[in-house]
Amino acid sequence: MGQATSTLAFDISQFFPSFNHHFLFLILKKAGLDPLVVQFFFSYLVNRSTQYVWNNFSSHFVDVNVKVGQGSALSPILSALYLAPFLYMLEKHLKNLNLQVSLLCFIDNGLLITQSKSFESSNSRLYCSYNIALNLLTKFSFLVEYLKTKVFHFSRLRGVFNPSPLDLSPLEGPNLSPKDFWHYLSFIFDRKLSFHNHIDFYANKGISTVKCMKILGNSTRGLNLCQKTSPLQILCYANRSLQLLIIVLQQSPPLLPLEDPEQNTKKSSLVDSRHLQNVSLNGY
């Protein structure tokens, strides 16, 4: 009781193009896939060449490195398999150092979360865990975009709220000062999790869209029924996103206490590092 939640968000630069194909090949083999399938997929990614033919003209062969494309059908599966060893090793390091820090991973966006009675203790935990994650990501051929690294503290304390900044300069990172609001993955957080600014932002966005529909109706000689009802979805987005955030934040024990027991039965679509451990490699 009386603990405040602190988060450190970081972003991986060029996530899919940075995949190490040889390491991905080993992961697919370790996952138990048929060797012929693994070899076929590996040949699809590495050392490919193409030639253009037009009538009697044939071009010379050009090297084509397909890499792992972002937005393809295999992207979510490959990203989960590729990150599984990283998440497993990070959780193992944190457990050995007795650091009470958890990691949520949204493809190329990572979120370190901890709870403590003092923000100085939270900053210390976040710094150590971020240092470990940074070293592991480097071994996985990843780079972190330091300008997108943010720290945020949640607290319901009244009065002056001025936590000390988190200095990441020894890790070649920025000196992070917590802000009053945090815009993360299309959500707007405030330190008390009231979501007033989030709802105001998307409500105003929906109202603006409704007003613009009149202009579109005049310029295109009217809109059909489906187009006229679409702003309603935008107006309802704030409520849906608020419900999703509450579920996610409440289903990350022991990070945030559950105020409503019924929320325990709801499921979140976001990936927790504890869930990804089930598909991690046994050799790590």
Side-chain angles (χ1 to χ4, degrees), residues 95-134:
K95 184 177 181 180
N96 292 337
L97 295 175
N98 196 24
L99 289 175
Q100 298 179 2
V101 179
S102 296
L103 173 67
L104 294 176
C105 191
F106 314 94
I107 309 297
D108 58 343
N109 293 281
L111 188 64
L112 295 168
I113 309 176
T114 186
Q115 277 190 329
S116 179
K117 293 185 178 180
S118 66
F119 294 118
E120 287 75 13
S121 177
S122 297
N123 284 345
S124 177
R125 293 178 184 178
L126 292 175
Y127 179 89
C128 295
S129 58
Y130 179 73
N131 185 22
I132 298 173
L134 199 63

Side-chain angles (χ1 to χ4, degrees), residues 23 27 30 79-96 101 103 105 132-133 136-137 140 272-284:
F23 186 60
I27 292 176
K30 195 71 176 180
S79 62
L81 289 173
Y82 195 86
L83 286 177
F86 161 74
L87 296 173
Y88 175 77
M89 288 187 287
L90 177 61
E91 186 171 355
K92 189 175 181 179
H93 278 79
L94 296 178
K95 184 177 181 180
N96 292 337
V101 179
L103 173 67
C105 191
I132 298 173
L136 289 176
L137 288 173
F140 278 73
D272 196 312
S273 62
R274 294 185 294 273
H275 300 164
L276 284 179
Q277 183 178 352
N278 296 330
V279 295
S280 61
L281 303 183
N282 295 329
Y284 290 92

Side-chain angles (χ1 to χ4, degrees), residues 197-265:
N197 290 274
H198 179 85
I199 295 175
D200 290 343
F201 175 81
Y202 284 103
N204 291 328
K205 187 176 181 180
I207 293 173
S208 301
T209 304
V210 172
K211 292 182 178 180
C212 292
M213 295 296 285
K214 298 179 180 179
I215 302 176
L216 294 175
N218 294 332
S219 61
T220 60
R221 298 183 181 181
L223 301 175
N224 58 41
L225 181 61
C226 295
Q227 292 171 328
K228 289 182 180 180
T229 56
S230 60
L232 181 62
Q233 300 177 358
I234 300 177
L235 288 172
C236 296
Y237 173 76
N239 184 36
R240 294 201 306 270
S241 59
L242 176 60
Q243 295 175 355
L244 175 62
L245 277 172
I246 293 176
I247 293 172
V248 172
L249 292 174
Q250 288 183 340
Q251 287 204 351
S252 300
L255 304 178
L256 290 176
L258 293 174
E259 298 178 357
D260 186 0
E262 295 180 359
Q263 297 289 343
N264 235 356
T265 61

